[in-house]
């Protein structure tokens, strides 16, 4: 369907970004808590179970207060961040007091609050389960799981030499306290205490108020396993505990959360840690239609933050709703779910035609490092114009108009990168980005900036060899803007258009993840 429409009409199809309204009016209330985790000051020193519990109870006391608040505000599901109970920087042995053996809910139905005696050494699971029950909400927390493994019987397995798996784990409790899901983080990020699970885990759970949710953790969001697989399975609501260190200009927390939600057309419930020394802040409830988010600024008191928002149900198979069954069998295949007569085409024809590919690279291109990747850049020298820059065969096009009264001294550049990012993780990318350079020299393009005064209307386009393209517009002072439209064409062309910006432009980005090239 999508292909035919695109060919016949020769227009670009708009994605759900922009003025598109959810098809249904069913909705639910979600909450995420950005938690200022109380840390263990000496994470390398092993401590007794008793002391580890005493430490975690302090964080659990805060969870308890927030669960009560979230419930008062009507939340049906509450998400806490990654590492929120124990903190970071443990070794395999120093974390041992914090570990509990979490039974597999696919094999054993267990309500820790109601049957605390069934599994020993599970004080944290019991307390979380009772919290979910007491406040009558679904509760998602992240904790450390210990699973014995068959060292002797299967020496060829990837069982660690101490005979135990240790996993960074999400647990989910239903509103009556039942343990309904357990997910082990697949893509670890410098976590000596934890193992990568031997098999990939694609974990979802059902709720009575919004259907199906999928589980991921922090760095997972960038990878095919599990995130791309969940999306391919049509999971449209993802739960995302994280402990993400901000990295401008392309991967600030809220910027990427928003971009992911828009690009994948999903709802993302993102709960981050708050820790200023580690540059961790930025949480949000992101649906493709709206974002409720928090990002602390320099000088703000270092404290937690509860966010509560009503968002539409996106699960296409959800049975718990009204007559509107039309979309019932539809999966999230973004290329097949757009009816020809849906009005997308009219909307599309209003999207400006993308800049002609023939625009010569007018300004000389230069290479500058952005987040450790060698981007090819060209400067935006005029008040308006069209530009093109290529990294190899991957090209980015920009049409722009700087608005008067901005700071015309600020330097901007259009950048392109196609290749594999190799610092602190390895992943293949195709990225188009307009950035404000940190200073007036071109060598400063790609460095971190938070503020900008220049407002700009623009149309940014790239032709990507992946469907995983995440669009974002970040304005001065870490404010997110919803792009006016994002259109995806049959040839992989993605066009993001934006005008009437509220703030100075810091970054406009189309961030393409080339999952299929990661192993090369
Ligand atoms: C972990 O410890 C190192 C020093 O041992 C420190 O530089 C780093 O900030 C710590 N990271 C976290 C997440 O606490
Ligand atoms: C995104 O999701 C919405 C609501 O579920 C749907 O109407 C729309 O067609 C989707 N957009 C794309 C591009 O798939």
């Amino acid at each position: 369907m999508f292909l035919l429409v695109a060919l016949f009409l020769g227009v670009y199809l708009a994605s759900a970004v922009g003025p598109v309204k959810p098809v249904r009016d069913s909705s639910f209330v979600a909450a995420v808590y950005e938690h200022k985790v109380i840390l263990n000051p000496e994470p390398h020193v092993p401590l007794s179970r008793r002391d580890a519990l005493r430490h975690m109870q302090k964080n659990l006391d805060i969870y308890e207060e927030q669960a009560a608040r979230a419930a008062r505000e009507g939340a049906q599901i509450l998400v806490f961040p990654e590492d929120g109970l124990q903190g970071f920087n443990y070794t395999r042995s120093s974390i041992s007091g914090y570990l509990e053996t979490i039974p597999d809910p696919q094999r054993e139905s267990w309500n820790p609050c109601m049957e605390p005696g069934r599994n020993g050494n599970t004080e944290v699971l019991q307390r979380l389960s009772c919290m979910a029950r007491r406040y009558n909400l679904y509760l998602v927390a992240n904790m450390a799981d210990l699973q014995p493994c068959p060292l002797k019987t299967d020496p060829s397995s990837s069982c660690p030499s101490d005979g135990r798996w240790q996993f960074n784990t999400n647990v989910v409790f239903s509103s009556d306290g039942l343990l309904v899901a357990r997910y082990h983080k697949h893509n670890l990020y410098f976590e000596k205490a934890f193992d990568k699970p031997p098999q990939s885990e694609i974990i979802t759970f059902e709720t009575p108020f919004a259907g199906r949710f999928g589980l991921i953790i922090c760095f997972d969001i960038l990878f095919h396993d599990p995130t791309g697989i969940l999306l391919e399975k049509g999971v449209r609501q993802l739960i995302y505990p994280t402990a993400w260190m901000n990295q401008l200009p392309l991967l600030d927390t809220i910027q990427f959360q928003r971009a992911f939600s828009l690009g994948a057309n999903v709802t993302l419930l993102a709960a981050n840690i708050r820790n200023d020394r580690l540059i961790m802040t930025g949480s949000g409830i992101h649906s493709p239609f709206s974002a409720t988010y928090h990002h602390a600024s320099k000088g703000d008191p270092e404290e937690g933050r509860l966010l509560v928002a009503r968002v539409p149900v996106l699960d296409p198979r959800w049975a718990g709703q009204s007559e509107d069954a039309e979309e019932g069998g539809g999966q999230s295949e973004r290329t097949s779910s757009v009816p020809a007569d849906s009005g997308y085409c009219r909307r599309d024809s209003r999207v400006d035609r993308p800049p002609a590919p023939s625009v010569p690279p007018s300004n000389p291109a230069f290479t500058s490092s952005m987040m450790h990747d060698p981007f090819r850049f060209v400067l935006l020298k005029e008040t308006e114009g069209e530009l093109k820059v290529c990294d190899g065969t991957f090209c980015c096009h920009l049409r722009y108009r700087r608005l008067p009264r901005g700071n015309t001294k600020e330097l901007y550049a259009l950048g392109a990168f196609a290749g594999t990012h190799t610092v602190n993780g390895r992943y293949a990318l195709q990225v188009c980005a307009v950035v404000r350079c940190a200073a007036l020299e071109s060598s400063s393009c790609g460095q971190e900036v938070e503020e900008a005064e220049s407002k700009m209307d623009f149309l940014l386009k790239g032709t990507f060899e992946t469907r995983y393209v995440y669009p974002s517009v970040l304005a001065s002072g870490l404010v997110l803007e919803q792009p006016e439209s994002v259109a995806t064409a049959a040839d992989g062309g993605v066009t993001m258009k934006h005008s009437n910006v509220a703030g100075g432009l810091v970054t406009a980005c189309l961030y393409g993840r080339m999952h299929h090239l990661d192993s090369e």
Side-chain angles (χ1 to χ4, degrees):
M1 181 75 83
F2 174 95
L3 280 173
L4 285 179
V5 172
L7 289 175
F8 284 161
L9 302 178
V11 297
Y12 287 79
L13 287 182
S15 78
V17 180
V20 184
K21 291 268 155 29
V23 178
R24 300 186 181 115
D25 55 6
S26 313
S27 61
F28 68 101
V29 179
V32 301
Y33 183 62
E34 179 161 306
H35 176 48
K36 183 194 162 196
V37 55
I38 298 169
L39 293 169
N40 173 344
E42 290 186 307
H44 294 281
V45 180
L47 73 188
S48 64
R49 172 68 176 163
R50 213 172 58 126
D51 289 344
L53 272 178
R54 194 173 293 155
H55 171 207
M56 287 191 284
Q57 297 293 7
K58 291 183 192 157
N59 285 306
L60 284 162
D61 290 345
I62 300 173
Y63 281 21
E64 184 98 37
E65 289 166 21
Q66 298 305 322
R69 278 188 61 196
R72 280 199 300 275
E73 296 185 31
Q76 291 161 292
I77 184 165
L78 168 61
V79 181
F80 290 108
E82 182 187 24
D83 299 326
L85 293 176
Q86 83 279 355
F88 331 90
N89 251 357
Y90 296 93
T91 64
R92 262 190 94 67
S93 56
S94 74
I95 202 169
S96 60
Y98 291 87
L99 301 166
E100 298 193 355
T101 296
I102 306 170
D104 182 354
Q106 292 175 356
R107 297 188 175 188
E108 175 180 345
S109 174
W110 181 41
N111 187 320
C113 189
M114 300 303 283
E115 277 188 89
R118 176 153 16 133
N119 294 296
N121 200 42
T122 54
E123 289 85 345
V124 172
L125 287 166
Q126 290 166 32
R127 187 146 181 214
L128 292 168
S129 161
C130 292
M131 229 183 263
R133 247 184 103 75
R134 183 166 315 129
Y135 300 107
N136 191 32
L137 39 71
Y138 273 64
L139 188 147
V140 184
N142 177 275
M143 59 188 282
D145 184 16
L146 179 154
Q147 297 290 328
C149 60
L151 188 59
K152 299 237 166 59
T153 51
D154 182 10
S156 68
S157 83
S158 43
C159 179
S161 56
D162 53 7
R164 55 208 269 167
W165 300 110
Q166 299 184 175
F167 297 121
N168 176 335
T169 308
N170 285 346
V171 285
V172 184
F173 300 90
S174 71
S175 50
D176 55 11
L178 193 71
L179 177 65
V180 291
R182 180 190 77 178
Y183 165 70
H184 296 136
K185 184 181 187 183
H186 191 79
N187 301 281
L188 297 174
Y189 190 84
F190 301 102
E191 298 169 65
K192 289 192 301 270
F194 293 121
D195 301 304
K196 178 174 177 155
Q199 274 115 32
S200 85
E201 299 181 7
I202 304 301
I203 304 293
T204 60
F205 63 96
E206 299 285 335
T207 63
F209 51 86
R212 182 167 61 159
F213 289 84
L215 289 166
I216 59 176
I217 303 174
C218 200
F219 204 34
D220 281 337
I221 199 168
L222 285 175
F223 295 91
H224 189 252
D225 189 349
T227 304
I229 299 175
L230 285 165
L231 296 177
E232 283 160 16
K233 282 176 165 290
V235 178
R236 309 263 334 261
Q237 307 175 126
L238 295 180
I239 291 184
Y240 178 55
T242 190
W244 187 279
M245 301 174 83
N246 276 305
Q247 206 180 7
L248 285 166
L250 305 181
L251 288 181
D252 195 86
T253 43
I254 53 166
Q255 174 191 23
F256 192 72
Q257 291 162 17
R258 185 86 204 105
F260 180 85
S261 163
L262 291 175
N265 201 19
V266 299
T267 290
L268 186 71
L269 306 183
N272 198 6
I273 293 286
R274 173 69 191 276
N275 184 299
D276 287 342
R277 189 178 58 84
L278 300 170
I279 339 169
M280 290 175 184
T281 177
S283 304
I285 297 167
H286 304 269
S287 86
F289 319 101
S290 64
T292 299
Y293 62 91
H294 166 68
H295 193 297
S297 309
K298 284 190 193 83
D300 288 352
E302 194 180 30
E303 60 191 14
R305 177 68 68 94
L306 181 72
L307 301 172
V308 181
R310 182 173 284 281
V311 286
V313 174
L314 293 188
D315 182 354
R317 314 158 317 136
W318 186 49
Q321 72 182 287
S322 59
E323 288 68 70
D324 185 359
E326 249 169 68
E327 214 194 1
Q331 284 300 304
S332 77
E333 270 301 305
R334 48 189 314 177
T335 49
S336 61
S337 63
V338 182
D341 57 354
S342 68
Y344 277 85
C345 301
R346 246 183 313 115
R347 189 168 296 115
D348 288 336
S349 54
R350 291 205 301 270
V351 174
D352 289 354
R353 301 214 127 263
S358 58
V359 175
S362 30
N363 301 335
F366 58 94
T367 300
S368 182
S369 173
M370 178 146 71
M371 298 178 33
H372 307 288
D373 296 321
F375 273 71
R376 295 292 289 164
F377 281 107
V378 291
L379 296 177
L380 278 60
K381 286 195 170 150
E382 319 293 332
T383 42
E384 61 180 281
E386 283 193 26
L387 288 175
K388 169 181 169 181
V389 67
C390 301
D391 183 15
T393 56
F394 174 71
C395 297
C396 303
H397 303 263
L398 176 72
R399 175 183 295 164
Y400 68 98
R401 189 162 60 88
R402 287 174 77 144
L403 304 184
R405 307 214 340 256
N407 180 348
T408 42
K409 279 240 172 95
E410 289 178 339
L411 187 67
Y412 281 82
L414 168 67
F417 174 71
T420 298
H421 175 93
T422 55
V423 177
N424 297 344
R426 192 182 164 82
Y427 41 91
L429 298 173
Q430 282 182 337
V431 180
C432 291
V434 180
V435 293
R436 198 211 131 187
C437 307
L440 295 178
E441 303 80 47
S442 54
S443 60
S444 73
C445 300
Q447 293 173 13
E448 289 202 19
V449 221
E450 271 190 40
E451 311 290 331
E453 286 175 26
S454 306
K455 298 186 175 179
M456 202 182 291
D457 290 350
F458 64 84
L459 190 153
L460 176 65
K461 183 185 182 225
T463 300
F464 294 83
E465 291 151 55
T466 174
R467 59 181 279 203
Y468 300 103
V469 180
Y470 304 124
S472 63
V473 179
L474 187 65
S476 191
L478 293 157
V479 173
L480 293 173
E481 295 208 10
Q482 176 101 343
E484 193 174 300
S485 69
V486 179
T488 304
D491 66 352
V494 179
T495 305
M496 172 166 69
K497 183 180 176 239
H498 196 53
S499 52
N500 304 316
V501 282
L505 182 68
V506 171
T507 307
C509 180
L510 295 170
Y511 192 91
R513 268 292 284 120
M514 311 288 285
H515 295 150
H516 55 290
L517 298 183
D518 280 356
S519 50
E520 289 179 9

